[in-house]
Amino acid sequence: MAESTTDNTVQKSATLLERLNLQERGWKFYAAASIPPIVVASLALWYYSSSRDGEAGASKDEDKKKSKRKAKKSKKSAKPADESAAASSSAAGASAGDASSSAGKPAGASTASVGEDDEERPESMTDAQIAALDGAALKKLAQSLKSRGNKFFQAKRYPKAIELYTQALRFDKDPVFYSNRAACYAAENDNDKVIADCTSALKLEPRYVKALMRRAQANENTERFRDSLYDFTTACILEDFNNTLAATSAERVLKKLAEAEARERIEKREPRLPSKSFISGYLNSFRSCGDEAVAAEGEQLSEADTLYNEALSFIALQDYANGIASIDKAVAAIDEAGTADGVLRADDIYSLSGMFSFLKSSLDMSAARLDKALEFNSKHVRSLLRKANLFTEKRDLDMVSQLLEMACEIEPENAEAFFQKGQVDFLKQDFAEAAKNYERAAGLDPDFVYPRIQLGVVQFKIGKMQDALATFKEAMERFPARSDLYNYYGEVLAEQGGPDDAITAFEKAIELDGANPLPYVNQAIAVFQSSGNADKALTLIQAALKVDSECELAVAALSQIYLQLGMFEESLSMLRRAVDLAKSEEEMVSAITFRETTAAQYRFMKEHPDLLNKMMGAMP
């Protein structure tokens, strides 16, 4: 029986997550260069509008309205708590007991002048006298105090309004009174008291959206962004995602939270290399890392050149840590000597050092090393291409284009330069021009596989599926042992909606190179999406992580599968890991955004299981 209940809870939670749009993110969320722009809306102080009285200012018929209200006064005051928080929990059906969004006043407040002699004075009663009253009398007197408080609020006499709402609470612990008093504190910018009163209101009525919105704004004002996000998220859920202000406010707060944390993390963390699979993928987009230094007959290589050759050997073995150590020593040897005299590959030494600095996201150091390489050799095309990558990261595509044009002028037949031009066109979504540059690169160097891969991808992007398949098949005939070729081919097939053929391609990629984690991850995704076989998908991702424990795509995919299985703690653990692995500030913002969105929604599930069950029970 317990097992059945657990399964049911997981199913309900997963269904709710679908409504929260968590699963609309692509599987390659963290590999993307950026996320869609977050909507930013300005918000000073928000009060929900009332469905009854809430218009600012008196109309021409105000006298008539006042007489009608006066006639109804005794009848209304006899009703017990007619403006309950439960009735005002949604924006559309808010009661008159709370503060108005349009005028910043309690919704039932009259615009008549504030009087001191037209009401009863229950605030002078002692605690003993109050204790002797029955329930109906308590509510009647509480409503009287609240109504007077509304008038003072409208008159912007907030201390007096606070006093009256406080007195009303002596008679009746109505959440509306807490929320109205919070509105006064908000007007006085006393955010801590706003939070305290809204919290009291929500303890009495957890579905009180107005109190949630007020507390969310106060939390945002005091930079308690995580709590603010939770309140805005809860308001979205309670209002069935029809509360546009809550949604845009959640996005705004989420942006502030993610950007602040990412900025702080980037400033504090030491430069680090990305995963081995990421570095390998980056290096594969170039024909080589550099030309080996060869001494003239009868001469010996300099210390720097020897270390440079050693670095190239380590890189060929994918031993990047030792490769970096060797190239750093080579740079140090030149710097200590104070001259590059006798060094054959000074340009390549500084260029390779700049490349690794770029991979560590040390962009200033990378720029300095690449500039130094170009000082040694102004026509060093490899450094121009790497510098173009650097400015691509900085989103300065005009500078990228200039650098690539310089490279093509120096070496008009350089396949790498045209391939990189195609990559820039791809980023600009100029797919037709990208295809031309990929074709030119492939023609210039028939043994360069990546222009063919990207040509197939761009043909798929522009809807030329048959051309894309033909390009991949031709490439596979020419490069039958390239694992990465089969991996990309599988991705195109998966995007097309052919999971079986995609899985076959991924299996072939794994067969050709079991040390590449990406086809394991892609196969796991295809298996899970097509058959829902979670066990097999998890096994494949674990295999990917065994190959490369820091594979960003594997971590992201694992978090998604855990999420869809209702394993929220495990998913959040992977999302925290994804934040740690993010290579750039922009990627870190994306990872934090997903982590915080998931955490806020999971917190709602834990703190409001009763509301979750009611909501799920109402779903079709």
Side-chain angles (χ1 to χ4, degrees):
M1 192 72 175
E3 184 177 346
S4 174
T5 302
T6 302
D7 291 343
N8 187 41
T9 301
V10 168
Q11 184 180 5
K12 287 183 175 182
S13 300
T15 306
L16 179 59
L17 284 168
E18 290 177 4
R19 295 183 68 189
L20 298 172
N21 295 322
L22 281 180
Q23 296 170 33
E24 288 184 4
R25 299 278 190 185
W27 278 99
K28 298 189 179 170
F29 176 75
Y30 297 107
S34 64
I35 57 174
I38 294 176
V39 178
V40 180
S42 60
L43 180 66
L45 185 63
W46 166 257
Y47 300 114
Y48 267 96
S49 59
S50 168
S51 63
R52 286 155 59 173
D53 303 304
E55 298 296 324
S59 68
K60 295 179 180 179
D61 298 324
E62 184 63 26
D63 292 336
K64 292 180 180 179
K65 290 183 179 179
K66 279 195 279 184
S67 64
K68 288 182 180 179
R69 283 197 294 269
K70 198 169 184 181
K72 294 180 180 178
K73 188 175 182 181
S74 59
K75 184 177 180 181
K76 286 177 68 177
S77 63
K79 292 183 179 179
D82 60 322
E83 294 121 1
S84 68
S88 61
S89 62
S90 69
S95 75
D98 211 350
S100 164
S101 62
S102 59
K105 67 179 181 178
S110 166
T111 56
S113 61
V114 177
E116 293 290 344
D117 300 320
D118 59 343
E119 301 281 358
E120 300 176 68
R121 293 290 177 268
E123 63 266 35
S124 61
M125 295 178 66
T126 65
D127 291 343
Q129 289 174 318
I130 294 173
L133 298 174
D134 61 22
L138 289 169
K139 289 188 178 295
K140 175 182 176 182
L141 293 172
Q143 287 296 320
S144 171
L145 288 161
K146 185 266 296 182
S147 296
R148 289 168 58 206
N150 288 355
K151 293 179 181 179
F152 281 101
F153 184 95
Q154 175 62 21
K156 298 185 179 180
R157 293 174 60 180
Y158 302 120
K160 184 63 177 177
I162 289 169
E163 177 187 331
L164 289 165
Y165 292 138
T166 302
Q167 288 296 327
L169 285 164
R170 293 176 65 210
F171 292 82
D172 184 9
K173 300 296 183 185
D174 189 321
V176 171
F177 304 161
Y178 282 111
S179 187
N180 279 11
R181 189 170 68 178
C184 298
Y185 290 134
E188 295 185 332
N189 294 315
D190 194 339
N191 290 294
D192 288 339
K193 288 184 178 178
V194 173
I195 293 168
D197 268 3
C198 288
T199 299
S200 296
L202 289 163
K203 285 179 180 177
L204 295 168
E205 176 44 67
R207 300 191 65 161
Y208 197 176
V209 172
K210 291 183 183 181
L212 277 167
M213 294 293 285
R214 284 204 181 99
R215 190 173 69 176
Q217 185 60 58
N219 276 320
E220 182 182 0
N221 293 344
T222 52
E223 298 187 355
R224 298 176 174 102
F225 295 133
R226 189 166 285 112
D227 288 333
S228 177
L229 174 63
Y230 172 69
D231 285 341
F232 281 131
T233 300
T234 301
C236 285
I237 296 170
L238 291 176
E239 300 229 306
D240 200 25
F241 306 94
N242 292 319
N243 188 329
T244 302
L245 182 63
T248 55
S249 297
E251 290 169 347
R252 180 187 64 251
V253 171
L254 186 58
K255 184 174 187 289
K256 289 180 181 179
L257 192 161
E259 289 181 348
E261 182 180 340
R263 188 163 48 248
E264 182 179 2
R265 280 175 170 265
I266 292 294
E267 288 174 355
K268 290 182 178 179
R269 80 174 181 182
E270 294 294 321
R272 55 177 293 276
L273 283 173
S275 67
K276 182 185 290 188
S277 56
F278 182 90
I279 298 172
S280 297
Y282 175 79
L283 294 180
N284 284 338
S285 67
F286 294 90
R287 295 299 287 124
S288 74
C289 289
D291 299 322
E292 185 179 356
V294 180
E297 187 175 351
E299 296 185 5
Q300 289 187 335
L301 287 175
S302 67
E303 179 187 5
D305 284 323
T306 301
L307 288 164
Y308 165 71
N309 285 347
E310 186 179 273
L312 292 180
S313 297
F314 281 125
I315 292 169
L317 296 172
Q318 296 188 358
D319 186 351
Y320 302 121
N322 280 318
I324 291 172
S326 294
I327 204 65
D328 284 348
K329 290 176 184 177
V331 169
I334 297 174
D335 289 345
E336 288 171 8
T339 179
D341 291 347
V343 179
L344 300 176
R345 294 295 182 192
D347 48 4
D348 274 319
I349 289 170
Y350 279 90
S351 183
L352 190 57
S353 176
M355 182 199 77
F356 278 119
S357 294
F358 168 73
L359 288 170
K360 291 179 180 178
S361 295
S362 298
L363 302 187
D364 292 340
M365 175 64 76
S366 176
R369 291 289 166 84
L370 292 171
D371 286 342
K372 187 74 172 177
L374 290 166
E375 285 179 21
F376 287 118
N377 180 3
S378 62
K379 295 185 177 182
H380 194 244
V381 169
R382 193 171 289 116
S383 291
L384 290 171
L385 297 180
R386 288 170 176 163
K387 197 170 180 181
N389 289 164
L390 173 67
F391 280 97
T392 301
E393 182 75 13
K394 293 182 175 182
R395 296 292 187 268
D396 189 346
L397 297 185
D398 290 338
M399 178 59 74
V400 173
S401 296
Q402 291 179 35
L403 290 164
L404 294 178
E405 288 301 327
M406 290 170 62
C408 289
E409 288 175 9
I410 295 166
E411 294 184 13
E413 303 293 302
N414 189 299
E416 287 179 317
F418 282 98
F419 174 68
Q420 296 296 339
K421 288 180 72 173
Q423 296 291 73
V424 174
D425 293 328
F426 191 94
L427 284 175
K428 293 178 177 178
Q429 297 191 338
D430 187 350
F431 298 129
E433 193 64 27
K436 291 179 184 178
N437 281 309
Y438 293 143
E439 288 174 341
R440 179 75 185 276
L444 289 170
D445 187 350
D447 294 326
F448 192 11
V449 68
Y450 269 83
R452 299 173 187 272
I453 291 174
Q454 284 299 102
L455 177 59
V457 171
V458 80
Q459 286 169 335
F460 169 72
K461 286 284 186 183
I462 60 178
K464 295 183 177 180
M465 191 61 201
Q466 293 306 313
D467 290 347
L469 295 177
T471 297
F472 274 106
K473 287 180 180 178
E474 180 184 342
M476 287 184 286
E477 290 174 3
R478 187 174 186 87
F479 306 97
R482 289 299 297 256
S483 170
D484 44 1
L485 175 56
Y486 282 92
N487 179 58
Y488 285 109
Y489 178 55
E491 289 187 7
V492 168
L493 292 173
E495 289 287 333
Q496 185 194 19
D500 293 338
D501 289 339
I503 290 169
T504 300
F506 296 137
E507 288 174 343
K508 181 66 175 178
I510 294 168
E511 177 188 327
L512 291 170
D513 183 6
N516 182 358
L518 300 184
Y520 290 102
V521 178
N522 285 327
Q523 186 181 349
I525 293 168
V527 166
F528 190 73
Q529 288 182 332
S530 62
S531 68
N533 189 335
D535 290 338
K536 185 173 182 180
L538 291 172
T539 298
L540 286 164
I541 293 178
Q542 292 298 344
L545 289 171
K546 187 175 181 180
V547 169
D548 184 352
S549 62
E550 296 191 343
C551 176
E552 298 90 343
L553 183 59
V555 171
L558 190 55
S559 73
Q560 283 273 13
I561 291 178
Y562 281 148
L563 188 61
Q564 294 192 44
L565 292 175
M567 300 168 66
F568 303 106
E569 295 291 350
E570 292 83 354
S571 177
L572 286 169
S573 177
M574 287 297 101
L575 290 171
R576 287 189 285 270
R577 179 70 173 143
V579 173
D580 293 335
L581 293 175
K583 296 178 290 296
S584 66
E585 185 172 340
E586 189 172 23
E587 286 185 18
M588 190 174 289
V589 167
S590 295
I592 293 168
T593 295
F594 199 4
R595 183 199 67 197
E596 291 300 323
T597 302
T598 304
Q601 292 156 350
Y602 181 38
R603 180 179 167 187
F604 173 85
M605 293 176 189
K606 290 192 297 182
E607 294 189 3
H608 299 286
D610 53 333
L611 297 182
L612 176 63
N613 288 331
K614 287 179 182 178
M615 292 170 66
M616 299 309 301
M619 289 176 62

